[in-house]
Structure formats: C-alpha cells, structure tokens
Amino acid sequence: MKYCPNCGAEIAPDDKFCTKCGFVLPVEGQTSGAAKQVRPAQPSQPQAASTPAQPNQTVTAVQGYATNYFQWLWDALKKPFNNDESAGQYFGLINFAIIILLNAFSFNTVIQRFEQMGSSMLGAFGASTQSGVKSSFWMQFIFVGLVIYAIFVGVSYCFSHYATHNLDQTFLGYTNRLAHYTSSILVLAVVQFLDSFAVNSTNGVGFYTILVVLQLFILLSGCLLSVAPQQGVTGSLDSAYTAILTTVVINVLLFIVADIAAQSALSSLMSLLKQF
C-alpha cells in the first residue's frame, strides 16, 4: 500500500496521481521536491504511560511509625504484662509525652473555667472586673508534668538497674516496659481532658480528682512492678525493701515538687486577683 506524499491518503500501487488531492506521483526512481518535503502521515502512536508520582519517603516513614505505635498501644491495653521487646525504642517516651500534654491542657482548662466563674461572682457583687482576663498556665503544667514523670521513671529505673541488678535493661527499654504496664493511664488522661470542659464549682470536681489520683496510683504501681528483679537475677536488696524504698524516695521528691508548685500557683493567683 502506498500513501500520497502530499496529503497522506492511501493510493493504489498503479495510480499515477492521488485521487483525493490530484497530486501527480513521481515516477519510480525519481523524487520530487514535494515528495522530499512531505512525508506520509503515520498512524498516531500511543503515548507512554506517565510514571506515577512516588510518595514522600518521610511521610511514609512517619505513617508507618505511627501505625506501629498505635498497634503497640492497643496490644498494651489488651495485655499490659506481655511486653514487646522488639517495639520501637521511643514508644514509651511518646506515650508519656502524650499523657503529659493532655494533663497540662486539662489543668489549664480547669483553671480558666474557675477564673471565669470567679470573675462572674465578683461582677455579681458589684466588684469591678477586667473583661477578657484569661491566664494560661499550660507551659507551667507541662514543665511540672515532665518533672513528675522524670521522678517516677528515673527513681524506679535506678532501683531496677542498681538495686535489683537488671543491668541488661536500657533506659529506653525500661520506659517501654513501664509504659506498657501503665498504658491505661493514657485512656484516663483522655477522659480527664474531655471532663475538664464540664468542670464547674458544683459539678465534676470529684470525678476529675478521682481521675488524677488513679493516674498517679497506676503509675506508682507500674514503677513498683518494674523494679522487680528479672528471672534468674538476684538483687542486692530484697524485692520488698526495694519497693518500699522506691515508694519513699518518689513520695519525698513529689512532696518537694508539690510544695514548690503550690507556692508558684499561689503567687500567680495573687497576681491575678490584683487585676480585679
């Protein structure tokens, strides 16, 4: 089959001109100027399929890490004592950090609600109030939360490492084990955060306080369970004395932190009252 060099239409082999455009076909062995310049129309070729965009490796890695963390957390909630030694080494620290943030914003919300109620009460008695007064203590609460968890984790790790001779347990491995034991604290912290929006002078304070006490109780229980010597290891102290000393040291340090925090909170409250 031949094609017209002028319009690309199909022509019979014996034709001397194109029946479509009338172009005179050159004799075999000769090439006209038009034939040199015009090429037969070629059937269109399908374009190669475009390569799909590759996903960002950083985003993929973060998504995979988050998926593994939530799977670890779910397993911890179902079976707290079946600790996964192969889990991500920072899962325990991440779990504690989320709890500290939830508690900090929860306490800050309660403080702001009581500020609003106090402002309304002063206004009802005719006292002059400044509208829009709203203090923010969430950074202070985050700092206090970090100190409290550092006391629990640090003291219990020292007793676990030196008193009960769990020398093969790294600090990150210990935080993972402790977070696995106390995974239910995260659930309580979420409930506490949601409950903070319903706390007022006559409702919700008791339940809110119970949630705080339960978190501290579970954390202390997890620390005492974590300092127990591992199988086949003999500690320098009996397990009972180790647990007692761990509790005493933690409580003494907590008392010091609570005293400093109370004085700071009282000072901030007095400064706030001077604004009215």
Side-chain angles (χ1 to χ4, degrees):
M1 184 63 66
K2 296 170 57 179
Y3 296 92
C4 173
N6 185 40
C7 66
E10 295 182 2
I11 56 178
D14 298 333
D15 289 344
K16 296 183 179 180
F17 61 90
C18 176
T19 57
K20 183 176 181 180
C21 65
F23 182 79
V24 178
L25 301 175
V27 181
E28 292 185 5
Q30 299 180 2
T31 303
S32 65
K36 292 180 182 179
Q37 299 175 4
V38 181
R39 292 291 183 269
Q42 298 295 329
S44 61
Q45 299 293 331
Q47 296 182 354
S50 59
T51 305
Q54 298 296 326
N56 188 286
Q57 294 183 354
T58 303
V59 174
T60 303
V62 171
Q63 290 176 343
Y65 197 84
T67 301
N68 293 335
Y69 164 75
F70 284 112
Q71 182 61 48
W72 170 86
L73 178 61
W74 177 247
D75 293 338
L77 290 172
K78 291 191 298 183
K79 297 180 179 180
F81 291 104
N82 289 353
N83 185 35
D84 184 8
E85 299 291 344
S86 62
Q89 60 179 345
Y90 296 106
F91 283 177
L93 293 179
I94 293 173
N95 206 60
F96 291 143
I98 294 175
I99 294 172
I100 292 171
L101 289 175
L102 287 172
N103 287 337
F105 287 110
S106 168
F107 290 134
N108 190 70
T109 301
V110 171
I111 292 297
Q112 289 183 355
R113 289 181 64 83
F114 276 104
E115 284 181 6
Q116 294 172 1
M117 288 185 290
S119 177
S120 300
M121 291 176 62
L122 290 175
F125 286 102
S128 61
T129 60
Q130 296 182 6
S131 59
V133 175
K134 181 183 290 186
S135 58
S136 180
F137 299 107
W138 61 272
M139 283 296 296
Q140 292 91 324
F141 286 130
I142 289 178
F143 177 74
V144 172
L146 287 172
V147 172
I148 290 175
Y149 270 82
I151 290 173
F152 276 97
V153 178
V155 171
S156 59
Y157 172 73
C158 288
F159 275 99
S160 173
H161 193 73
Y162 298 107
T164 57
H165 294 175
N166 296 329
L167 301 179
D168 59 337
Q169 184 78 62
T170 64
F171 178 75
L172 292 176
Y174 176 79
T175 56
N176 273 7
R177 182 154 61 97
L178 179 60
H180 211 274
Y181 290 166
T182 61
S183 56
S184 56
I185 295 179
L186 181 57
V187 178
L188 295 176
V190 173
V191 176
Q192 176 187 329
F193 175 74
L194 297 176
D195 182 64
S196 65
F197 295 96
V199 172
N200 54 49
S201 58
T202 59
N203 183 38
V205 177
F207 180 66
Y208 187 89
T209 305
I210 291 174
L211 291 174
V212 175
V213 173
L214 278 177
Q215 290 184 54
L216 293 175
F217 174 76
I218 294 174
L219 183 57
L220 179 60
S221 301
C223 290
L224 297 181
L225 291 171
S226 300
V227 299
Q230 297 177 354
Q231 186 175 5
V233 177
T234 303
S236 56
L237 289 176
D238 185 80
S239 299
Y241 292 118
T242 302
I244 292 173
L245 285 175
T246 302
T247 305
V248 169
V249 174
I250 288 177
N251 286 331
V252 169
L253 293 177
L254 286 180
F255 176 80
I256 296 173
V257 172
D259 183 61
I260 296 174
Q263 292 181 12
S264 176
L266 183 60
S267 176
S268 299
L269 181 60
M270 295 303 295
S271 300
L272 180 64
L273 291 175
K274 292 179 181 178
Q275 300 179 29
F276 296 102

